[in-house]
């Protein structure tokens, strides 16, 4: 898998993670690599040792290695990914970061995942990068392009992308509507139980950018993006069977002059249930993203999915 992935990164003309040197130059025996440019662990050895993982094969698994350039003062062998990732990436151009995350096969919210789940998800994404790269050689796919929030929206709804016009303001009745909140819970639950993905609030089904400005007006004294993020966090944590601090990231990109809420969801390491739309304190509904739809599973279908997805 390693050699196929190296070849794919070469085909894609990919950059080093955190850097601008091309990986093809690193792999070229006639070019001397820059100091500090190499494959390294994403989960550091000392971090894994603290988790009781010391076996060399596990520590140096292919899925834990990446071609990267550590920024000056950016590496600490005692840092967990959830410590160093935001510190380094907050200073990066978002478009470059989106591109590098895809090239380097990093799952959404990977820095928050437990190690076995991270390895499993990244292996799947590495295989996808390899497949897509070689398909570009046969002309079966268009050239590999960066994936920004605007790109994802323009591509339409899919297995990993869903749109909701709003979460609080009904665009049809032009009034606040609490029933809309369950749509957000259901969508996030579906991504958690599937392969992860991105939910965009403030985007119509046809990808028209509506923005969340009307939603913001319903927040009273907290009518800003910080208040909106707090609303989303409280909604999810109060409606799902598992906390979302480690699996959900919330951002507010500006697209076409409007503010959109982007909820990036990592695949969960175990089944997550949602409270039913009619209320109740028990989270009993199981939703999963299938294709471009979020479906509820029951009975034998639910048990079969759980067995196949989580083993």
């Amino acid at each position: 898998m390693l050699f196929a992935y190296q070849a794919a990164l070469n085909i894609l003309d990919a950059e080093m993670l955190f850097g601008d040197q091309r990986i093809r130059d690193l792999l070229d025996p006639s070019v001397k690599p820059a100091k500090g440019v190499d494959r390294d662990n994403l989960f550091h050895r000392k971090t894994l040792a603290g988790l009781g993982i010391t076996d060399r094969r596990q520590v140096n698994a292919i899925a834990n290695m990446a071609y990267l350039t550590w920024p000056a003062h950016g590496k600490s062998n005692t840092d967990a990914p959830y410590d160093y990732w935001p510190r380094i990436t907050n200073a990066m151009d978002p478009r470059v970061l989106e591109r590098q995350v895809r090239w380097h096969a990093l799952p959404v919210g990977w820095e928050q995942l437990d190690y076995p789940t991270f390895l499993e998800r990244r292996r799947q994404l590495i295989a996808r990068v390899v497949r897509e790269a070689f398909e570009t050689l046969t002309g079966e796919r268009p050239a590999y392009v960066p994936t920004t929030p605007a790109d994802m929206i323009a591509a339409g709804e899919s297995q990993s992308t869903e749109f909701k016009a709003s979460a609080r303001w009904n665009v049809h009745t032009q009034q606040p509507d609490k029933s809309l909140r369950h749509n957000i819970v259901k969508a996030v639950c579906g991504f958690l139980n599937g392969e992860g993905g991105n939910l965009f609030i403030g985007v119509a089904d046809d990808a028209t950018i509506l923005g969340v400005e009307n939603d913001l007006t319903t927040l009273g004294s907290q009518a800003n993006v910080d208040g909106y993020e707090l609303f989303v966090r409280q909604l999810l944590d109060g409606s799902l069977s598992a906390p979302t601090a480690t699996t959900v990231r919330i951002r507010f990109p500006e697209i076409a002059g409007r503010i959109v809420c982007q909820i990036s969801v990592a695949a969960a390491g175990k089944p997550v249930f949602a409270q039913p739309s009619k209320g109740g304190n028990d989270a009993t509904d199981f939703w999963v993203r299938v294709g471009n739809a979020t479906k509820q599973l029951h009975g034998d279908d639910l048990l079969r999915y759980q067995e196949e997805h989580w083993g």
Side-chain angles (χ1 to χ4, degrees):
M1 181 172 71
L2 174 60
F3 294 127
Y5 184 46
Q6 287 176 340
L9 293 174
N10 188 45
I11 292 168
L12 298 171
D13 197 24
E15 306 154 354
M16 305 289 291
L17 182 61
F18 305 144
D20 56 10
Q21 182 178 10
R22 301 293 175 177
I23 292 174
R24 67 163 183 256
D25 295 334
L26 178 67
L27 300 178
D28 186 343
S30 68
V31 177
K32 184 178 180 180
K35 184 179 181 180
V37 176
D38 205 346
R39 289 175 68 235
D40 202 354
N41 299 89
L42 290 167
F43 279 74
H44 300 323
R45 289 178 175 83
K46 291 185 178 180
T47 299
L48 293 175
L51 299 174
I53 301 172
T54 56
D55 179 76
R56 175 176 290 186
R57 292 185 63 183
Q58 284 187 288
V59 172
N60 293 327
I62 291 174
N64 190 35
M65 305 295 287
Y67 289 100
L68 52 82
T69 306
W70 291 107
H73 311 297
K75 180 181 180 181
S76 169
N77 287 333
T78 61
D79 274 357
Y82 59 76
D83 288 321
Y84 74 73
W85 179 254
R87 185 176 66 244
I88 296 175
T89 58
N90 283 346
M92 294 178 63
D93 182 325
R95 292 171 295 180
V96 173
L97 180 60
E98 292 278 0
R99 181 172 69 235
Q100 293 189 359
V101 163
R102 184 169 182 179
W103 278 338
H104 292 278
L106 298 175
V108 174
W110 73 273
E111 72 278 12
Q112 305 286 355
L113 297 176
D114 63 80
Y115 189 59
T117 302
F118 163 72
L119 292 180
E120 178 186 353
R121 300 302 180 195
R122 189 164 187 247
R123 288 187 187 106
Q124 295 172 356
L125 292 181
I126 287 174
R128 186 179 303 173
V129 171
V130 171
R131 182 175 65 251
E132 292 184 357
F134 280 90
E135 284 174 350
T136 65
L137 297 178
T138 63
E140 294 179 19
R141 294 182 60 87
Y144 207 81
V145 296
T147 303
T148 64
D151 291 333
M152 288 187 275
I153 292 172
E157 292 189 306
S158 66
Q159 174 78 30
S160 59
T161 305
E162 185 169 2
F163 305 148
K164 295 298 178 187
S166 59
R168 298 175 62 90
W169 180 265
N170 192 311
V171 297
H172 302 292
T173 65
Q174 292 295 296
Q175 293 180 342
D177 187 345
K178 291 185 177 181
S179 69
L180 299 173
R181 302 179 188 187
H182 183 68
N183 295 333
I184 307 305
V185 173
K186 181 174 69 174
V188 171
C189 186
F191 281 133
L192 287 167
N193 290 323
E195 303 298 329
N198 287 276
L199 170 64
F200 291 94
I201 306 175
V203 180
D205 289 343
D206 63 359
T208 299
I209 306 299
L210 304 175
V212 294
E213 285 79 1
N214 284 331
D215 271 2
L216 293 178
T217 64
T218 68
L219 292 171
S221 62
Q222 294 183 308
N224 52 48
V225 294
D226 290 336
Y228 199 87
E229 179 172 354
L230 179 61
F231 151 70
V232 173
R233 289 284 181 195
Q234 292 177 337
L235 173 65
L236 296 178
D237 288 339
S239 305
L240 296 173
S241 62
T244 60
T246 61
T247 52
V248 172
R249 180 187 302 151
I250 302 172
R251 290 176 285 187
F252 295 90
E254 183 174 321
I255 303 173
R258 296 183 179 275
I259 299 173
V260 170
C261 178
Q262 178 184 1
I263 304 176
S264 299
V265 184
K270 60 182 180 180
V272 177
F273 294 84
Q275 290 180 351
S277 59
K278 296 181 180 179
N281 295 325
D282 296 331
T284 57
D285 290 356
F286 184 88
W287 299 91
V288 63
R289 187 72 174 172
V290 180
N292 63 352
T294 301
K295 298 183 177 181
Q296 186 175 9
L297 298 185
H298 307 270
D300 291 343
D301 290 336
L302 168 57
L303 296 175
R304 188 179 305 108
Y305 181 85
Q306 291 179 342
E307 177 65 25
E308 294 176 352
H309 192 69
W310 288 286

